[in-house]
């Protein structure tokens, strides 16, 4: 042990005083030599002869010193340190290419880091306070609709929860939960995401309260359900973290509920959503029975989902079998005709998380691949420029392994730089996106670890390969020849050409994929006002129990005030899902429409009351007939405006047709709903047709949805959304709008406020962000590929300078040389396009199929290809022109 | 004069320790003693001696100090440490056991 310790101490000492240690060794070796010379002179040799023979016997001062250094402790480390210094110097000699290599890797790294952070936050973030989340499973009840293979989610009721719980009593604990958006009367009125849960919800999750208690079984009864558990954040923000908060009352919608507990910090139940989507309030599911009648949009108890925790030791198959029995029981109890009901299961810690990860990470991985290829390409170019240096060093006896090690260290140093730059890039990108994020990105040790590992792997590989290639015995034949002889062997340039082709193929793949996805997502709002210039502000006055007249007055005043705000162009009013349904289907904002002209019968069509200058605010032109005029607004609606899609569906000319329209009644038996329709429906005449809006990710058939609008409400409309078109950025008008609302009625909370883009982003989840990132990364990959081609063509031209000089001297026109170089560059581009194009055209529809039914967007495809060809042309034109400017005299003189 | 040979693997340390046990020496002096004691059988080059000295000093078996030689030249003198003596004794025992065993085999064969 002490021997090791001494060696370490000696090594450290030398590290601290490298020069002194070097001098001491020199002095000792010289002393030996002098003694030897003295002895030889004493033996009778002449001094000069004595010195010569002594030196010969010694065997070379440097070589002995080297051997001594080699015997020292930590000699290996010292050599590496030397290599690092060497690599640093050689990188500093060509900062341009070093920056380009590190930059290529950094872009790839940034993509990987951002992707991993997203995956980590979205799919793998631990759920705070949830015990053994991997053992939890969602149990969904589905109903067979139309024979084999056609199933739909069955609306699960709180009663169904009871049935499932009873059936599974032996094998699992089952909780129920549903989501709703609700106003709460804190100091500043706010609208928050809340969960209605069964009283055993927290037990099933295994969570302990930070303060107070969870629900008790008795609170599962409607009469005793006016209790709530609040999130830790809400407790800190609105109750100053006071223990006295438990026991206080909180106004929720029009009720007062008693706070019984505070959830632990970070607890979000089973939600991994971020920001406003994160639940902050939990109340018993039984409360839904006594809540005010749904105002149609925000306050609906929808999608009760069942969450089960199988008891310890219960096999999955037994648990699933029991759930099927429960499903069958629900099926038997429901209306006749719903013959088949089954249970399906999905793990909370999603079984599909791996698949999703693969899908999300595919794009960053491709970009990283392009970045690495680019770095390898640039390093290969450097390698051939430095071949002469390497050949000389090998000839002087440097070990090949040593040279390869030095080159790898260069690669690793570049990788280090790229990791730092990539992390910085990703971090600032994430910070930028965080304001808008619907899911949390988690930037933790795991992400860093994977990123660093990937970077060093890449850096090491791209550093070693060119070094191996440059020092390969085959490459060494050419020393002493002209410039051509030392560099640019055919094998190597074939390698580099292949790299560029692969790069082009990968970047066209990324570009096509990104542009196709972008076309799908951006199609929203493609007709009409751009999504960033349309501000949506939603309200729900039913929760405040406002009389219809008071609600109407509020909206009228609000529209008038907001339209006078600076930067506002026009203001319309309609239900939140009357224009775009944001994935909520036709339920929340629809009219029952029965055309007189066809035998089709009634159907539910999205639309309803269109107040103010709605069409103007949406930017939807009236393509036929007219829009609404003030006279239309009086009393019961007598006219309607429909969109182009509905007009196409109606038989005969649409304008002038009569339609019978009535409110959609939810949650009543069909017969009753029909009776209500017959009693309350009104006949309206179509007076105008507006453009259709696309909502391609939600419609099942890539067609715009039919819409119908009437100039006045058919009944009370307590929950409306203000559609505000602004001159500039819509979000910038939000604070002013908030002030107006407070002025008019300080008790009214804004349920949702944001640009159409942002609302879309919330309802799509992280998809639009991902798609935009994919498109951006595709562009970056394109730039990298263009840089790679530029480097290759420049290099090829410089290698062939003499050939061009000869051609010019023999009378070739410069223009022909330009075409020659361009043709060769474009051959590579064509090869890349062919390889990448076939792949992406084949694969993109598969990916698109996952998110929508839209087909391949030909325009987007053409754009991607045109962009690529243009970029590649731009990259090769400069070196090609250089070929034509070769001076024959200067280049042939020294031949 | 017998043919000159390289020092058998691992024995150089033992020889150096043995020589230093009878008094401090500098590098050249060590070399002379080595040649004399083995009747010039073992050929040790500076390229083998100095790395060995370096290593043995790092182990703590010898200690080097600068001094003045009999030629009135500056030289680094190495002296054996108590730990070096222990090591020498152990190595010598091991060496004797090995050579004894080998000799037995050779005689008995």
């Amino acid at each position: 042990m002490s021997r090791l310790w001494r060696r370490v101490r000696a090594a450290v000492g030398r590290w601290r005083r490298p020069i002194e240690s070097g001098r001491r060794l020199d002095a000792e070796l010289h002393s030996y030599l002098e003694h030897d010379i003295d002895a030889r002179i004493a033996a009778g040799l002449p001094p000069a002869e004595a010195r010569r023979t002594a030196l010969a016997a010694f065997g070379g001062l440097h070589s002995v010193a080297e051997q001594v250094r080699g015997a020292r402790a930590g000699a290996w480390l010292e050599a590496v340190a030397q290599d690092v210094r060497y690599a640093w110097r050689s990188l500093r000699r060509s900062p341009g290419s070093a920056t380009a290599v590190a930059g290529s890797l950094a872009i790839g790294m940034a993509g990987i880091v951002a992707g991993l952070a997203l995956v980590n936050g979205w799919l793998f973030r631990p759920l705070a306070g949830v015990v053994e989340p991997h053992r939890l499973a969602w149990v969904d009840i589905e109903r067979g609709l139309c024979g084999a293979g056609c199933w739909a989610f069955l609306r699960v009721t709180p009663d169904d929860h009871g049935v499932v719980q009873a059936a599974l009593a032996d094998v699992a604990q089952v909780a129920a939960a549903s989501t709703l958006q609700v106003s709460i009367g804190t100091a500043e009125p706010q609208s928050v995401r809340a969960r209605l849960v069964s009283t055993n919800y927290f037990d099933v999750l295994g969570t302990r309260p930070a303060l107070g208690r969870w629900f008790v079984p008795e609170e599962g009864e409607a009469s005793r359900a006016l209790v709530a558990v609040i999130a830790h954040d809400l407790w800190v923000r609105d109750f100053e973290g006071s223990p006295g908060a438990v026991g206080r009352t909180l106004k929720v919608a029009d009720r007062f509920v008693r706070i019984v507990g505070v959830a632990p910090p970070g607890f979000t139940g089973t939600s991994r959503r971020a920001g406003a989507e994160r639940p902050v309030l939990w109340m018993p599911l039984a409360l839904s029975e006594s809540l005010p009648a749904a105002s149609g949009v925000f306050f609906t108890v929808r999608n009760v989902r069942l969450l089960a925790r199988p008891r310890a030791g219960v096999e999955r198959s037994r648990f699933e079998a029991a759930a099927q029995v429960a499903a069958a029981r629900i099926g038997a109890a429901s209306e006749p005709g719903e013959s088949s009901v089954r249970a399906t299961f999905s793990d909370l810690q999603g079984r599909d998380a791996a698949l999703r990860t693969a899908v999300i990470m595919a794009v960053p991985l491709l970009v990283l691949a392009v970045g690495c290829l680019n770095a390898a390409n640039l390093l290969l170019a450097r390698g051939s420029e430095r071949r002469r240096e390497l050949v000389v060093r090998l000839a002087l006896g440097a070990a090949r392994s040593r040279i390869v090690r030095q080159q790898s260290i260069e690669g690793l140093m570049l990788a280090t730089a790229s990791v730092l730059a990539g992390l910085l890039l990703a971090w600032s990108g994430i910070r930028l996106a965080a304001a808008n994020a619907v899911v949390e990105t988690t930037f933790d040790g795991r992400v860093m670890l994977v990123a660093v590992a990937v970077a060093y792997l890449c850096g090491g590989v791209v550093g070693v390969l060119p070094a191996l290639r440059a020092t390969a015995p085959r490459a060494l034949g050419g020393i002493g020849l002209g410039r051509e002889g030392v560099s640019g062997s055919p094998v190597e340039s074939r390698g580099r050409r292949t790299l560029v082709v692969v790069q082009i193929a990968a970047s066209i793949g990324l570009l096509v994929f990104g542009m196709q996805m972008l076309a799908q997502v951006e199609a929203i709002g493609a007709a009409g006002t751009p999504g960033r210039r349309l501000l949506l502000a939603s309200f729900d006055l039913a929760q405040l129990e406002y009389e219809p007249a008071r609600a109407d007055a509020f909206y009228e005043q609000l529209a008038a005030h907001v339209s006078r705000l600076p930067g506002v162009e026009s203001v319309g009013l309609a239900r939140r899902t009357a224009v775009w349904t944001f994935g909520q289907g036709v339920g929340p904002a629809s009219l029952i429409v029965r055309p007189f002209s066809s035998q089709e019968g009634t159907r539910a069509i999205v639309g309803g009351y269109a107040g103010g200058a709605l069409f103007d605010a949406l930017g939807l032109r009236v393509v036929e007939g007219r829009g609404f005029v003030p006279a239309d607004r009086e009393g019961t609606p007598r006219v309607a405006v429909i969109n182009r899609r509905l007009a196409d569906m109606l038989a005969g000319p649409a304008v002038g047709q009569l339609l019978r329209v009535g409110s959609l009644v939810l949650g009543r038996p069909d017969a009753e709903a029909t009776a209500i329709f017959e009693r309350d429906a009104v006949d309206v005449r179509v007076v105008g047709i507006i453009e259709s809006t696309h909502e391609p990710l939600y419609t099942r058939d890539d067609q715009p949805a039919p819409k119908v609008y009437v100039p006045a409400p058919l009944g009370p409309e307590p929950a409306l959304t203000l559609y505000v078109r602004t001159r500039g950025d819509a979000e910038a008008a939000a604070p002013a709008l908030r002030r107006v609302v407070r002025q008019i009625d300080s008790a009214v909370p804004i349920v949702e406020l944001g640009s159409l883009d942002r609302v879309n982003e919330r309802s799509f989840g992280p998809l639009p962000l991902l798609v935009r990132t994919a498109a951006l990364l595709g562009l970056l990959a394109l730039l990298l590929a263009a840089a790679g081609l530029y480097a290759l063509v420049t290099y090829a031209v410089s290698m062939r300078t003499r050939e061009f000089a000869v051609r010019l001297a023999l009378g070739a026109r410069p223009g022909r040389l330009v075409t020659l170089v361009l043709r060769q560059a474009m051959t590579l581009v064509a090869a890349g396009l062919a390889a990448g194009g076939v792949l992406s055209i084949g694969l993109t529809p598969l990916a698109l199929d996952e998110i929508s039914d839209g087909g391949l967007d030909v325009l987007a495809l053409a754009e991607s290809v045109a962009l690529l060809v243009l970029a590649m042309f731009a990259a090769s034109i400069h070196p090609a022109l250089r070929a034509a400017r070769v001076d024959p005299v200067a280049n042939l003189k020294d031949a | 004069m017998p043919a000159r040979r390289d020092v058998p693997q691992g024995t150089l340390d033992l020889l150096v320790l043995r020589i230093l046990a009878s008094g401090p020496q500098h590098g050249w002096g060590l070399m002379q003693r080595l040649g004399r004691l083995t009747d010039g059988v073992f050929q040790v080059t500076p390229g083998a001696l100095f790395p060995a000295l370096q290593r043995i000093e790092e182990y703590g078996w010898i200690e080097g100090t600068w001094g003045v030689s009999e030629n009135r030249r500056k030289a680094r003198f190495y002296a054996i440490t108590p730990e070096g003596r222990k090591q020498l004794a152990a190595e010598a025992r091991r060496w004797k056991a090995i050579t004894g065993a080998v000799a037995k085999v050779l005689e008995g064969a």
Side-chain angles (χ1 to χ4, degrees):
Chain A
M1 194 64 215
S2 68
R3 189 201 293 186
L4 179 73
W5 168 237
R6 273 200 204 92
R7 295 204 74 187
V8 169
R9 216 173 45 186
V12 170
R14 272 196 309 277
W15 268 83
R16 283 168 53 192
R17 294 180 298 276
I19 299 174
E20 192 194 316
S21 128
R23 280 201 193 124
R24 212 174 61 191
L25 180 61
D26 269 2
E28 186 174 5
L29 297 183
H30 272 108
S31 155
Y32 176 95
L33 206 54
E34 297 299 335
H35 277 97
D36 202 23
I37 294 168
D38 286 351
R40 283 168 202 264
I41 292 174
L45 281 177
E49 185 61 11
R51 175 166 289 273
R52 199 187 61 76
T53 49
L55 272 172
F58 192 85
L61 270 172
H62 278 291
S63 129
V64 173
E66 199 56 47
Q67 276 168 297
V68 173
R69 275 190 216 108
R72 283 173 175 173
W76 181 82
L77 255 174
E78 244 169 283
V80 169
Q82 236 176 24
D83 288 349
V84 168
R85 282 194 292 270
Y86 173 82
W88 173 241
R89 277 199 305 273
S90 101
L91 286 178
R92 276 208 351 211
R93 268 208 304 273
S94 47
S97 95
T99 312
V101 172
S104 303
L105 289 174
I107 289 168
M109 287 307 307
I112 289 282
V113 171
L116 284 176
L118 179 73
V119 165
N120 201 19
W122 186 25
L123 303 174
F124 297 104
R125 185 163 60 86
L127 294 166
V130 179
V131 173
E132 296 187 298
H134 57 274
R135 289 190 50 230
L136 291 168
W138 293 109
V139 181
D140 291 309
I141 308 293
E142 291 182 353
R143 168 199 300 178
L145 280 184
C146 40
C150 176
W151 298 79
F153 275 102
L154 179 64
R155 210 183 167 85
V156 175
T157 65
D159 293 342
D160 296 334
H161 172 228
V163 173
V164 175
Q165 204 175 10
L168 294 183
D170 294 341
V171 293
Q173 283 178 289
V174 183
S178 75
T179 302
L180 57 105
Q181 185 77 19
V182 67
S183 320
I184 58 171
T186 38
E188 173 94 351
Q190 51 185 323
S191 180
V192 298
R193 198 45 68 95
R195 291 259 194 277
L196 292 183
V197 297
S198 56
T199 53
N200 65 343
Y201 180 72
F202 299 100
D203 298 332
V204 171
L205 293 183
T207 312
R208 296 180 174 286
L211 201 67
R213 60 168 174 85
W214 297 142
F215 302 132
V216 292
E218 296 78 56
E219 284 161 354
E221 289 161 31
S223 58
R224 301 191 50 184
L226 285 167
V227 287
V229 167
I230 59 173
H232 200 270
D233 281 355
L234 186 73
W235 178 58
V236 169
R237 200 179 57 225
D238 289 301
F239 296 90
E240 282 95 39
S242 149
V246 172
R248 289 207 358 221
T249 51
L250 177 68
K251 190 164 189 210
V252 176
D254 59 339
R255 302 297 157 93
F256 285 97
V257 299
R258 193 160 46 84
I259 297 171
V260 296
V262 175
F267 179 77
T268 57
T270 54
S271 168
R272 283 196 177 88
R273 289 284 179 124
E277 307 263 304
R278 174 178 285 181
V280 294
L281 189 67
W282 292 266
M283 295 178 294
L285 193 56
L287 198 63
S288 62
E289 295 169 30
S290 70
L291 282 172
S295 54
V297 187
F298 304 108
F299 207 95
T300 50
V301 179
R302 58 167 201 269
N303 303 337
V304 174
R305 291 193 80 186
L306 303 177
L307 184 66
R309 182 187 289 277
R311 294 189 193 284
V314 171
E315 274 178 35
R316 182 69 180 224
S317 56
R318 194 174 148 218
F319 159 70
E320 291 191 358
Q324 295 301 359
V325 171
R329 235 176 257 173
I330 291 173
S334 60
E335 286 173 40
E338 292 174 3
S339 49
S340 44
V341 171
R342 69 173 187 192
T344 55
F345 310 90
S346 51
D347 290 349
L348 182 61
Q349 207 88 312
R351 246 186 269 181
D352 54 346
L355 181 72
R356 284 193 190 179
T357 306
V359 170
I360 294 175
M361 292 310 292
V363 170
L365 276 174
L366 258 178
V367 177
L368 181 72
V370 174
C372 282
L373 288 174
N374 203 44
N377 195 0
L378 290 167
L379 283 175
L380 268 180
R382 255 162 69 87
S384 20
E385 277 158 24
R386 287 169 58 188
R387 177 156 306 158
R388 187 183 284 263
E389 173 202 332
L390 297 183
V391 166
V392 169
R393 288 185 56 203
L394 281 171
L396 290 181
R400 187 177 174 207
S401 64
R402 183 76 189 265
I403 288 180
V404 171
R405 193 171 75 194
Q406 275 168 354
Q407 302 273 304
S408 322
I409 284 175
E410 267 188 58
L412 291 178
M413 284 174 75
L414 289 170
T416 307
S418 72
V419 168
L420 293 178
L423 285 179
L424 201 70
L425 213 64
W427 184 73
S428 38
I430 287 170
R431 280 287 296 265
L432 219 65
N436 250 334
V438 267
V439 294
E440 213 155 284
T441 41
T442 312
F443 204 64
D444 60 7
R446 274 188 300 185
V447 173
M448 302 272 276
L449 201 71
V450 176
V452 168
V454 167
Y456 282 105
L457 198 70
C458 264
V461 168
V462 301
V464 171
L465 285 184
L468 283 178
R469 174 145 259 177
T471 54
R474 175 171 57 182
L476 301 179
I479 187 164
L481 299 179
R483 243 167 55 193
E484 294 84 348
V486 187
S487 39
S489 73
V491 176
E492 183 207 89
S493 46
R494 195 154 61 228
R496 290 191 58 196
R497 278 207 301 270
T498 314
L499 283 183
V500 167
V501 168
V502 174
Q503 249 178 290
I504 292 173
S507 60
I508 187 67
L510 277 171
L511 206 59
V512 167
F513 179 73
M515 291 293 185
Q516 290 294 324
M517 301 280 277
L518 209 57
Q520 297 286 319
V521 175
E522 300 284 290
I524 288 178
T529 310
R532 61 184 171 79
R533 281 182 52 208
L534 192 64
L535 188 67
L536 270 55
S538 301
F539 305 88
D540 187 357
L541 303 181
Q543 291 191 19
L544 304 170
E545 288 198 318
Y546 278 18
E547 296 294 322
R550 193 174 166 195
D552 291 349
F554 170 80
Y555 287 120
E556 199 177 313
Q557 237 180 322
L558 183 66
H561 275 69
V562 170
S563 63
R564 284 198 295 271
L565 286 176
V568 168
E569 291 184 341
S570 52
V571 176
L573 271 171
R575 288 192 184 179
R576 182 179 178 267
T577 53
V579 184
W580 298 278
T581 55
F582 302 112
Q584 307 216 341
V586 294
S590 291
L591 293 179
I592 296 289
V593 176
R594 181 195 292 164
F596 281 77
S597 58
S598 74
Q599 305 304 311
E600 246 191 67
T602 58
R603 60 174 288 177
I605 289 173
V606 170
Y609 168 53
L614 181 69
F615 305 141
D616 195 31
L618 299 175
L620 296 177
R621 284 177 306 120
V622 176
V623 290
E624 206 181 320
R626 63 172 177 86
F628 295 132
V629 294
D632 296 335
R633 313 274 189 201
E634 306 294 328
T636 326
R638 293 174 307 275
V639 297
V641 167
I642 62 174
N643 72 349
R644 167 59 64 198
R645 170 80 175 138
L646 181 55
D648 291 342
M649 290 162 69
L650 295 174
V655 173
Q657 270 197 39
L658 269 181
L659 303 173
R660 167 155 289 203
V661 300
S663 301
L664 175 66
V665 182
L666 288 173
R668 304 277 176 82
D670 279 356
E672 199 181 321
T674 309
I676 293 173
F677 176 76
E678 296 299 345
R679 192 187 67 213
D680 296 343
V682 294
D683 294 343
V684 292
R685 190 171 294 281
V686 176
V687 292
I689 299 172
I690 54 166
E691 291 171 280
S692 302
T693 46
H694 273 268
E695 208 172 354
L697 286 176
Y698 290 136
T699 51
R700 297 306 300 168
D701 54 1
D702 199 33
Q703 289 281 353
K707 306 271 168 67
V708 59
Y709 298 100
V710 290
L714 286 170
E717 291 283 1
L720 288 176
T721 292
L722 209 60
Y723 294 78
V724 184
R725 191 178 82 203
T726 55
R727 214 160 289 140
D729 181 23
E731 302 268 331
L737 190 140
R738 225 181 260 282
R739 275 196 298 277
V740 169
V741 173
R742 211 174 306 147
Q743 257 171 34
I744 297 173
D745 189 338
S746 63
V748 174
I750 305 177
V751 174
E752 183 180 47
L753 180 63
S755 65
L756 175 62
D757 278 349
R758 183 175 301 194
V759 174
N760 266 327
E761 220 140 275
R762 280 198 203 120
S763 30
F764 277 115
L767 194 62
L769 182 70
L770 282 178
V771 166
R772 268 198 288 278
T773 312
L776 182 73
L777 288 176
L779 280 177
L780 282 177
L782 178 75
L783 278 179
L784 288 177
L789 185 69
Y790 176 82
L792 183 73
V793 176
T794 305
Y795 174 75
V797 168
S798 78
M799 283 308 110
R800 293 170 66 187
T801 308
R802 190 166 296 186
E803 177 202 331
F804 291 143
V806 171
R807 280 169 182 256
L808 284 170
L810 292 180
R813 277 180 294 118
R816 285 210 30 107
L817 294 188
V818 176
T819 340
L820 182 76
V821 174
L822 278 182
R823 198 173 56 223
Q824 287 178 348
M826 287 302 142
T827 310
L828 296 184
V829 175
L833 260 179
V838 166
L839 204 71
S840 58
I841 292 172
L843 291 180
T844 308
L846 291 182
L848 288 178
D849 218 37
E850 288 293 311
I851 57 163
S852 83
D853 290 335
L856 200 66
D857 188 324
V858 180
L859 189 69
L861 181 69
E863 273 174 9
S864 320
V865 172
L867 194 64
L868 181 107
V869 172
L870 210 67
M872 294 304 153
F873 186 79
S876 37
I877 187 76
H878 177 249
L881 286 176
R882 256 199 0 215
R885 283 200 300 269
V886 166
D887 180 357
V889 180
N891 278 285
L892 293 177
K893 224 165 38 186
D894 56 11
Chain B
M1 189 171 172
R4 298 175 64 147
R5 294 174 168 279
D6 285 342
V7 181
Q9 194 78 41
T11 51
L12 185 56
D13 293 7
L14 176 65
L15 295 178
V16 167
L17 287 176
R18 175 67 194 85
I19 292 167
L20 293 181
S22 48
Q25 273 292 353
H26 52 78
W28 187 80
L30 252 172
M31 198 75 121
Q32 297 311 304
R33 291 274 294 166
L34 208 58
R36 262 205 302 282
L37 287 174
T38 63
D39 296 329
V41 173
F42 290 154
Q43 184 185 33
V44 179
T45 61
L49 178 70
F50 283 105
L53 285 173
Q54 169 78 39
R55 199 173 49 241
I56 303 171
E57 188 178 10
E58 276 181 10
Y59 292 157
W61 298 339
I62 60 175
E63 203 166 30
T65 43
W66 287 97
V68 178
S69 70
E70 60 284 1
N71 298 16
R72 283 191 301 284
R73 285 191 182 278
K74 236 184 107 182
R76 193 163 162 82
F77 283 82
Y78 293 94
I80 193 161
T81 61
E83 201 163 330
R85 284 189 194 281
K86 263 187 256 165
Q87 180 68 21
L88 173 61
E91 282 291 306
R93 263 199 308 280
R94 204 172 64 87
W95 182 253
K96 274 181 194 146
I98 291 172
T99 48
V102 173
K104 238 187 198 167
V105 170
L106 289 177
E107 280 158 17

